[in-house]
């Protein structure tokens, strides 16, 4: 039996790393929020570790169990397996397209995962680490099933959000049980569920409370991100309670013990075990020992996740590992906050997102532009906002104007002056020595940021290296000295090419496609991260480089406007699709209807009511008279647009003063599919003002 103690900071001591990225749900494609929150930072970290000579297992896979998948399958009239097969392929391809360099990308429907998860459960079961209880769970009699997790919605007891799920409130981030919800209802039938007894196995988190307090609150007070530490502290201080690790479902991993018939492992029990099974799959393929990456104290385990998964990776999964007894614990869990889109929360269900497959259609071969924009604006400590204007500015003002401009000038001038053959330098001036010394300092500076999980800061240090190159060229002006001092020009171009070579190496974690292209242009040999700081020469004299090609291209305003229009169209379509049709009002009798006097009328005058945004003052010819009606349509129509409009008027509505103007009736309006106000009007020729509508 291993003894667990509070972890100490082993920075720079470990040479073996297990890096995990949150398993994405396979009920839809990947969007930019996923990239920014988890996968790009995890990839930067893993690529950096490989460049610095470490043994890295970068692990992920599709999370193919859970209620959202079964709900989607029901809606589409297919099986859950059909859903996961479809989206596993789409998601895996997106990761390949954006250069996410997983060593293994698996799936939780794989046999190796089922076997691993069941074995883990049985180990804890045989050690009496679970509490078996018969409890009352929400049950939908019409659907004839228990309502696990997202099969039930209701009001969050902590923040009052009326659309909370049975496992989590996406508004406040609280982790919940379905029975915690206020006014719960079935997501299947809409019925109010009843309580029914069922047996489940619980992980007694309260048993591990002191261990978690010692390990995290004392052991990681200084090296874990404040947002992660704070959320964990809040949970522990509030007191931990047993958590069910089984569910009454037919989609998932069967519970492998007596009495588990008709039950599956809770998705948040089986999903993190997916990291282990994926590592097993990789190790078997590569001829490695998977246990070295999960059970050796010299291995550093790091989980990359979003903030909504903190409780599972910092409390539940570590408690599972601690209970099992032979696994290492995570050294860090650098969770990011959320990324919003154009000021609104990203939403899969509302189609308010930038989907990765769609991005590549509109911006082909520009994966690095998105990677850079998301990194430079990463939600590392607070929720951040992605805007298409910022994306454009990051590309045009930084990647094109700074990084790309420097490389282009160096390559073009080298080919123009020396046919692409790197010139031998003459004596270095002080500016040359200072510049080369500054270049050598950048690996340590960028490393420091990456190792503290400050990827946004690291990306800007990379850009500062490109700025150094631009400043050096601007100060030394080789395009002028070529006419007066050929020896000086050769030295300047040699130094500039060393900067370009350093950029080719140091940009790889952030801009892998650009790095590959730049290495190809420079015809570089493989240089490692440390070579930039230790070698005096990265690319030697007389070495032949290739012709120049643009690394980045300017993004035009029209391209950005097209993306904004796409979002607006998506928003309108979603509003129309999800528009709630008001239920029928209370029944009336015919005599009630006959009291309404509806007449055909024409608007003959219109003006905005002063000091209001919504009201128009209309003069309407009702055929009976010409009367004033105040209507709240000013945000949809200009006064000049409604003059001459045929309208339906309720003429016997009691007068009412609005902002001091007496309104003598009501004009009938409705909304179209796009949510726009439209007049309910008689448009047949020959229907005159004053005619009654019956």
């Amino acid at each position: 039996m291993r003894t667990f103690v509070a972890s100490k900071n082993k920075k720079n001591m470990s040479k073996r790393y297990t890096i995990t990225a949150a398993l994405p749900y396979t009920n839809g494609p990947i969007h930019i929020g996923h990239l920014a929150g988890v996968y790009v930072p995890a990839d930067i970290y893993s690529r950096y570790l490989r460049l610095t000579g470490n043994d890295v297992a970068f692990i992920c896979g599709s999370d193919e169990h859970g209620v959202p998948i079964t709900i989607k399958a029901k809606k589409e009239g297919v099986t859950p397996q059909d859903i996961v097969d479809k989206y596993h392929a789409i998601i895996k391809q997106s990761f390949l397209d954006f250069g996410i360099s997983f060593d293994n990308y698996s799936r939780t429907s794989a046999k190796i995962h089922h076997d691993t998860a069941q074995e883990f459960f049985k180990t804890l079961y045989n050690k009496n680490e679970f509490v078996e209880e018969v409890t009352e769970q929400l049950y939908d009699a019409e659907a004839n099933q228990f309502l696990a997790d997202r099969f039930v919605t209701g009001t969050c007891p902590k923040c009052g959000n009326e659309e909370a799920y049975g496992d989590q409130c996406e508004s406040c981030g609280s982790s919940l049980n379905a029975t915690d919800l206020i006014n719960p209802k079935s997501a299947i039938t809409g019925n109010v569920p009843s309580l029914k007894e069922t047996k489940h196995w619980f992980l007694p988190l309260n048993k591990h409370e002191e261990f978690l307090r010692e390990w995290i609150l004392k052991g990681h007070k200084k090296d874990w991100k404040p947002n992660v530490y704070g959320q964990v502290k809040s949970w522990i201080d509030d007191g931990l309670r047993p958590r069910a690790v089984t569910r009454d479902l037919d989609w998932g991993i069967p519970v492998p013990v007596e009495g588990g018939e008709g039950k599956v492992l809770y998705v948040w029990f089986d999903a993190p075990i997916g990291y282990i099974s994926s590592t097993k799959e990789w190790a078997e393929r590569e001829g490695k020992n998977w246990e070295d990456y999960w059970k050796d104290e010299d291995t550093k385990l790091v989980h990359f996740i979003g903030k909504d998964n903190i409780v599972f990776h910092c409390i539940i999964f570590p408690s599972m590992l601690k209970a099992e007894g032979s696994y290492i614990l995570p050294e860090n869990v650098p969770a990011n906050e959320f990324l919003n889109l154009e000021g609104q929360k990203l939403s899969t269900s509302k189609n308010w997102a930038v989907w990765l497959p769609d991005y590549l259609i509109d911006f082909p071969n520009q994966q690095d532009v998105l990677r850079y924009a998301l990194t430079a604006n990463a939600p590392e400590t607070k929720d951040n906002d992605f805007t298409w204007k910022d994306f454009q500015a990051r590309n045009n003002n930084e990647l094109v104007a700074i990084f790309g401009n420097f490389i282009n000038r160096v390559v073009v001038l080298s080919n123009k002056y020396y046919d692409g053959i790197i010139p031998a330098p003459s004596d270095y001036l002080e500016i040359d020595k200072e510049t080369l010394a500054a270049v050598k300092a950048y690996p340590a500076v960028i490393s420091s940021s990456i190792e503290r999980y400050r990827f946004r800061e690291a990306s800007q240090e990379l850009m500062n290296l490109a700025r150094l190159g631009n400043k050096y060229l601007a100060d030394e002006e080789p395009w002028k000295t070529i006419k007066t001092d050929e020896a000086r020009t050769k030295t300047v171009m040699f130094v500039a090419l060393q900067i370009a070579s350093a950029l080719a190496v140091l940009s790889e974690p952030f801009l892998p496609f650009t790095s590959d292209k730049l290495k190809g242009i420079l015809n570089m040999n493989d240089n490692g991260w440390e070579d930039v700081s230790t070698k005096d020469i990265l690319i030697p004299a007389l070495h032949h480089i290739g012709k120049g090609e643009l690394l980045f291209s300017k993004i035009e305003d029209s391209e950005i406007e097209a993306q904004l229009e796409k979002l607006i169209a998506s928003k309108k379509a979603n509003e129309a699709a999800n528009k709630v049709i008001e239920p029928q009002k209370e029944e009336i009798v015919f005599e009630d209807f006959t009291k309404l006097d509806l007449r055909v009328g024409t608007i003959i005058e219109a003006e905005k009511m002063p000091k209001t945004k919504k009201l128009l003052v209309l003069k309407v010819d009702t055929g009976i008279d010409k009367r004033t009606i105040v209507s709240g349509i000013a945000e949809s129509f200009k006064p000049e647009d409604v003059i001459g409009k045929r309208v339906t008027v309720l003429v016997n509505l009691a007068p009412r003063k609005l902002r001091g103007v007496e309104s003598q009736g009501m004009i009938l309006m409705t909304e179209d599919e796009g949510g726009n106000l439209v007049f309910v009007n008689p448009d047949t020729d020959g229907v005159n003002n004053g005619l009654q509508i019956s």
Side-chain angles (χ1 to χ4, degrees):
M1 178 89 177
R2 292 158 62 95
T3 301
F4 287 85
V5 295
S7 297
K8 296 179 180 178
N9 190 350
K10 298 187 292 183
K11 180 180 174 183
N12 294 331
M13 290 174 60
S14 179
K15 294 296 181 183
R16 187 191 300 114
Y17 290 80
T18 301
I19 311 300
T20 73
L23 308 186
Y25 263 141
T26 44
N27 65 334
I30 294 291
H31 58 58
I32 59 170
H34 300 122
L35 273 193
V38 177
Y39 304 108
V40 167
D43 187 61
I44 291 171
Y45 190 66
S46 298
R47 286 177 177 272
Y48 160 75
L49 290 174
R50 294 191 196 102
L51 279 171
T52 51
N54 294 285
D55 178 7
V56 176
F58 183 21
I59 301 298
C60 193
S62 293
D63 182 358
E64 300 183 333
H65 301 133
V67 174
I69 290 163
T70 58
I71 290 177
K72 193 173 187 72
K74 284 178 181 290
K75 285 182 178 179
E76 297 188 9
V78 297
T79 68
Q81 191 66 50
D82 291 330
I83 294 294
V84 299
D85 286 346
K86 173 184 176 180
Y87 289 111
H88 170 74
I90 292 172
I91 291 169
K92 187 175 182 179
Q93 187 60 51
S94 289
F95 286 140
L96 287 171
D97 289 340
F98 279 84
I100 308 301
S101 59
F102 295 127
D103 290 295
N104 199 61
Y105 188 79
S106 188
R107 54 193 306 188
T108 60
S109 63
K111 183 179 185 302
I112 193 171
H113 176 68
H114 277 238
D115 292 345
T116 302
Q118 288 182 323
E119 180 185 349
F120 200 104
F121 181 90
K122 284 190 289 188
T123 298
L124 268 58
Y125 178 85
N126 291 333
K127 293 178 67 175
N128 295 316
E129 291 290 345
F130 294 132
V131 176
E132 184 179 317
E133 288 187 18
V134 174
T135 61
E136 288 187 323
Q137 299 291 321
L138 297 177
Y139 183 81
D140 186 329
E142 182 180 338
N144 191 29
Q145 71 176 75
F146 286 95
L147 299 177
D149 306 328
R150 302 209 168 197
F151 274 134
V152 59
T153 60
T155 301
C156 174
K158 297 187 178 181
C159 74
N161 171 30
E162 295 181 354
E163 298 179 352
Y165 293 109
D167 62 342
Q168 190 172 40
C169 174
E170 294 190 347
S171 178
C172 68
S174 296
S175 180
L176 303 169
N177 290 308
T179 50
D180 296 333
L181 294 175
I182 300 168
N183 300 322
K185 66 178 181 179
S186 169
I188 303 172
T189 64
N191 295 337
V192 176
S194 60
L195 288 171
K196 185 176 180 179
E197 287 189 344
T198 183
K199 180 178 70 175
H200 283 294
W201 287 268
F202 291 74
L203 181 66
L205 294 176
N206 50 305
K207 174 182 174 181
H208 303 289
E209 191 171 306
E210 284 308 309
F211 147 70
L212 292 167
R213 190 180 297 277
E214 180 73 18
W215 171 56
I216 299 176
L217 301 189
K218 292 184 180 179
H220 287 293
K221 186 173 185 177
K222 295 182 179 179
D223 63 333
W224 279 24
K225 293 172 69 171
N227 60 318
V228 179
Y229 184 88
Q231 190 176 134
V232 172
K233 186 176 186 304
S234 175
W235 267 81
I236 294 175
D237 288 347
D238 193 41
L240 299 179
R241 290 169 289 279
R243 182 88 181 196
V245 296
T246 56
R247 291 291 189 269
D248 290 294
L249 291 170
D250 56 6
W251 175 250
I253 299 175
V255 174
V257 296
E258 185 178 349
E261 298 79 11
K263 302 178 190 295
V264 299
L265 301 182
Y266 176 37
V267 67
W268 269 113
F269 182 88
D270 101 72
I273 296 172
Y275 301 139
I276 301 170
S277 60
S278 184
T279 307
K280 284 184 177 181
E281 189 176 75
W282 165 76
E284 184 176 324
R285 185 180 68 241
E286 300 296 325
K288 294 177 179 286
N289 179 9
W290 74 269
E291 291 188 332
D292 289 344
Y293 296 84
W294 280 95
K295 298 187 177 184
D296 190 320
E297 288 285 2
D298 289 332
T299 297
K300 181 176 179 179
L301 172 63
V302 181
H303 296 310
F304 283 87
I305 59 169
K307 71 176 179 181
D308 52 335
N309 292 342
I310 288 174
V311 62
F312 302 107
H313 286 78
C314 298
I315 292 179
I316 297 176
F317 190 40
S319 296
M320 291 162 54
L321 297 176
K322 170 69 164 59
E324 199 279 345
S326 67
Y327 285 83
I328 59 173
L329 298 173
E331 187 72 19
N332 213 312
V333 186
N336 272 355
E337 300 292 290
F338 289 152
L339 185 74
N340 297 321
L341 172 60
E342 296 290 349
Q344 296 183 39
K345 184 177 179 180
L346 279 157
S347 173
T348 298
S349 61
K350 296 178 180 178
N351 199 26
W352 188 256
V354 178
W355 306 104
L356 300 195
D358 294 344
Y359 172 88
L360 285 180
I361 293 173
D362 296 335
F363 298 96
N365 302 315
Q366 296 188 68
Q367 296 97 318
D368 278 352
V369 179
L370 185 59
R371 283 179 63 119
Y372 178 75
L374 294 176
T375 303
N377 191 38
E380 291 178 348
T381 56
K382 61 181 180 63
D383 290 358
N384 268 5
D385 194 32
F386 176 91
T387 69
W388 281 110
K389 289 292 186 183
D390 179 73
F391 167 83
Q392 181 187 29
R394 295 286 184 186
N395 179 77
N396 294 354
N397 301 338
E398 296 176 28
L399 293 176
V400 173
I402 299 172
F403 194 117
N405 178 59
F406 170 69
I407 296 299
N408 187 57
R409 288 201 289 177
V410 170
V411 174
V412 167
L413 292 177
S414 295
N415 277 282
K416 180 179 180 181
Y417 299 158
Y418 312 113
D419 294 325
I421 298 174
I422 297 177
S426 299
D427 293 337
Y428 288 142
L429 300 181
E430 194 61 32
I431 183 64
D432 307 322
K433 295 176 183 177
E434 291 175 356
T435 300
L436 290 172
V439 172
K440 285 188 173 185
Y442 270 95
V445 171
I446 298 174
S447 291
S448 175
S449 296
I450 290 176
E451 290 175 11
R452 290 178 291 137
Y453 310 102
R454 297 182 179 181
F455 304 106
R456 186 171 59 199
E457 179 181 276
S459 71
Q460 296 313 294
E461 291 296 347
L462 176 70
M463 195 57 63
N464 285 339
L465 176 56
R467 288 188 175 95
L468 174 72
N470 276 314
K471 185 177 187 307
Y472 177 74
L473 283 182
D475 290 345
E476 300 311 305
E477 300 180 308
W479 46 87
K480 290 184 179 179
T481 60
I482 190 68
K483 302 172 184 177
T484 60
D485 191 341
E486 189 171 336
R488 177 61 189 152
T489 305
K490 289 180 178 179
T491 301
V492 170
M493 293 308 302
F494 181 84
V495 171
L497 282 158
Q498 303 311 308
I499 302 173
S501 301
L503 282 169
V505 174
L506 301 183
S507 65
E508 182 184 331
F510 310 92
L511 309 168
F513 299 96
T514 303
S515 174
D516 284 347
K517 185 184 289 187
L518 181 50
K519 288 174 182 176
I521 293 171
L522 298 177
N523 193 22
M524 285 181 64
N525 296 322
D526 286 335
N527 281 296
W529 191 270
E530 297 303 324
D531 291 336
V532 178
S533 58
T534 59
K535 288 185 177 180
D536 291 328
I537 296 173
L538 290 173
I539 190 167
L542 304 182
H543 177 81
H544 198 282
I545 69 171
K547 298 293 183 181
E549 59 176 305
L550 292 179
L551 297 180
F552 307 100
S553 57
K554 188 177 180 183
I555 294 174
E556 302 297 337
D557 289 346
S558 59
E559 297 177 82
I560 298 304
E561 288 303 318
Q563 295 303 318
L564 293 172
E565 288 173 6
K566 185 187 291 188
L567 282 175
I568 292 171
S570 175
K571 185 177 182 179
K572 286 184 176 180
N574 181 71
E575 288 174 349
N578 292 282
K579 190 173 181 63
V580 176
I581 302 299
E582 293 295 328
Q584 176 180 302
K585 293 183 178 180
E586 184 180 344
E587 189 176 87
I588 62 173
V589 295
F590 180 75
E591 286 71 19
D592 292 327
F593 175 75
T594 59
K595 294 178 182 178
L596 301 178
D597 192 346
L598 297 171
R599 304 274 180 146
V600 177
T602 302
I603 299 173
I604 55 177
E605 295 178 16
E607 63 179 2
K608 286 199 70 172
M609 179 175 282
K611 299 181 180 180
T612 70
K613 292 182 179 180
K614 296 184 178 181
L615 301 180
L616 287 184
V617 179
L618 310 175
K619 182 73 65 132
V620 181
D621 183 350
T622 66
I624 306 170
D625 53 24
K626 295 179 176 62
R627 64 177 65 186
T628 298
I629 296 177
V630 180
S631 183
I633 61 174
E635 291 181 313
S636 301
F637 300 96
K638 296 177 182 178
E640 58 268 26
D641 292 337
V642 300
I643 294 175
K645 277 279 186 185
R646 304 290 298 281
V647 293
T648 299
V649 188
L650 178 61
V651 294
N652 66 331
L653 184 67
R656 181 184 176 190
K657 279 197 173 183
L658 297 170
R659 295 291 182 109
V661 177
E662 186 173 80
S663 181
Q664 300 167 318
M666 177 182 290
I667 294 174
L668 271 60
M669 309 289 296
T670 188
E671 292 183 355
D672 64 15
E673 290 184 356
N676 304 302
L677 281 177
V678 292
F679 290 95
V680 178
N681 60 348
D683 53 9
T684 303
D685 292 338
V687 178
N688 299 320
N689 292 345
L691 288 178
Q692 284 189 309
I693 297 172
S694 60

